[in-house]
Amino acid sequence: MKRVFVFDIDDTLYDQLRAFKRAVENLQIGNQKALDIPSLYQLMKKYGDETFSSTGFDKEKLREMHVFRIKRTLQEYGIKINSKQAMQFQLDFEEYQNDIELFPRMEELLDLLVAEKQVVGVITNGTIDKQVKKIKALKLHKWIPKNNILISESIGVSKPKKSIFKCFEKALSLSSKNEIYYIGDNYLNDVLGPKAVGWNTIWVNYREHNKPIGCKADYIVQDPKSLYGLIAKLIKT
């Protein structure tokens, strides 16, 4: 039976933490060995997610958000940087995201989905310019048709809003939601969002976040190997 597997990109198909770590190291902010980089990263994502909905896709507002989120994150650790440093951090962060690769087993998983003639797609938040660069760096067009990739800026709506998932359904003429699976790392965007329109969800909880009370994810995996095993099983079911 043909199913539809739709992926998030950041921290689902590749590890964005690596680019973040390299950008933080460039800041030269003292005793970096004392910093918990994964926690710092999650905190920055939290502040970014909280402010993203109010910025829209206005480039000036997005830059203000980028400056704010890293400055606010470092304040939690008693570290102050100025706006110029914060902007340089963001530029470095973006640059290092051009040097990325798929998680282990992810290429094998995409090969399997194509070989089994499953429908593969992407829904990702972000600007067209940034996300297209990541798509090219990861060589996703090898497995995923261009028409199956939806970047939020292209329609002016971001996850977790229902309309972005409905737009994907319409674009691919999908009728049976029972066979659609969304795979992503962000609980709000990638579980609650697609669940609201009736999709199945696979929460890739690689960072081992606490499971929310009444967790709505249909499946939870802790690593790419487990994701491969789960999807291989779903295909055969």
Side-chain angles (χ1 to χ4, degrees):
M1 179 183 295
K2 183 176 289 189
R3 291 179 170 82
V4 182
F5 294 91
V6 189
F7 292 84
D8 172 46
I9 292 181
D10 302 316
D11 288 319
T12 298
L13 291 176
Y14 82 99
D15 188 0
Q16 196 174 49
L17 179 61
R18 291 174 57 193
F20 175 82
K21 183 176 184 294
R22 292 174 68 185
V24 169
E25 288 171 350
N26 285 354
L27 278 172
Q28 299 179 343
I29 49 179
N31 185 16
Q32 293 198 16
K33 291 183 179 180
L35 292 175
D36 182 341
I37 296 297
S39 296
L40 197 70
Y41 174 61
Q42 290 304 322
L43 196 57
M44 189 193 75
K45 288 186 68 175
K46 172 179 175 289
Y47 286 125
D49 288 343
E50 288 176 354
T51 54
F52 179 74
S53 60
S54 63
T55 65
F57 297 98
D58 182 277
K59 290 184 178 180
E60 185 175 340
K61 289 183 179 180
L62 282 172
R63 283 308 187 200
E64 290 174 358
M65 181 272 283
H66 292 150
V67 168
F68 163 78
R69 68 179 183 178
I70 187 60
K71 289 178 70 174
R72 183 68 182 86
T73 296
L74 290 171
Q75 284 176 14
E76 295 280 336
Y77 287 77
I79 300 170
K80 292 184 179 181
I81 61 172
N82 58 41
S83 295
K84 183 178 179 180
Q85 289 174 298
M87 179 54 67
Q88 187 57 54
F89 162 85
Q90 179 61 31
L91 293 175
D92 289 344
F93 185 38
E94 292 176 12
E95 176 63 26
Y96 293 141
Q97 288 180 72
N98 295 324
D99 180 25
I100 55 178
E101 59 185 21
L102 292 167
F103 274 120
R105 300 299 299 272
M106 201 59 67
E107 183 171 350
E108 187 179 352
L109 172 57
L110 293 169
D111 282 342
L112 174 67
L113 290 170
V114 172
E116 294 292 333
K117 295 182 171 53
Q118 306 297 296
V119 178
V120 188
V122 159
I123 298 177
T124 178
N125 278 356
T127 62
I128 295 171
D129 179 60
K130 287 182 185 177
Q131 298 310 91
V132 165
K133 286 181 180 179
K134 295 173 188 176
I135 289 165
K136 289 181 178 178
L138 296 171
K139 299 180 176 62
L140 294 183
H141 288 308
K142 177 181 176 182
W143 303 278
I144 306 173
K146 185 177 180 180
N147 291 340
N148 290 17
I149 297 175
L150 179 55
I151 300 172
S152 62
E153 187 188 23
S154 67
I155 60 169
V157 177
S158 301
K159 299 180 295 182
K161 291 184 178 178
K162 293 180 181 180
S163 51
I164 193 169
F165 301 101
K166 290 183 177 293
C167 183
F168 187 87
E169 290 177 5
K170 184 177 180 180
L172 272 68
S173 300
L174 301 176
S175 56
S176 176
K177 297 184 181 184
N178 292 334
E179 304 306 329
I180 307 175
Y181 294 80
Y182 191 81
I183 302 106
D185 71 294
N186 185 297
Y187 183 77
L188 172 62
N189 291 343
D190 305 329
V191 175
L192 297 186
K195 285 302 292 183
V197 294
W199 292 15
N200 299 294
T201 57
I202 301 174
W203 183 23
V204 290
N205 188 18
Y206 299 158
R207 311 291 183 204
E208 298 184 351
H209 299 301
N210 292 330
K211 185 177 177 181
I213 296 173
C215 180
K216 295 184 179 298
D218 295 287
Y219 305 94
I220 304 173
V221 294
Q222 267 73 43
D223 54 67
K225 181 180 178 181
S226 299
L227 178 63
Y228 179 92
L230 171 62
I231 291 181
K233 184 177 179 179
L234 289 171
I235 291 172
K236 294 178 181 179
T237 303

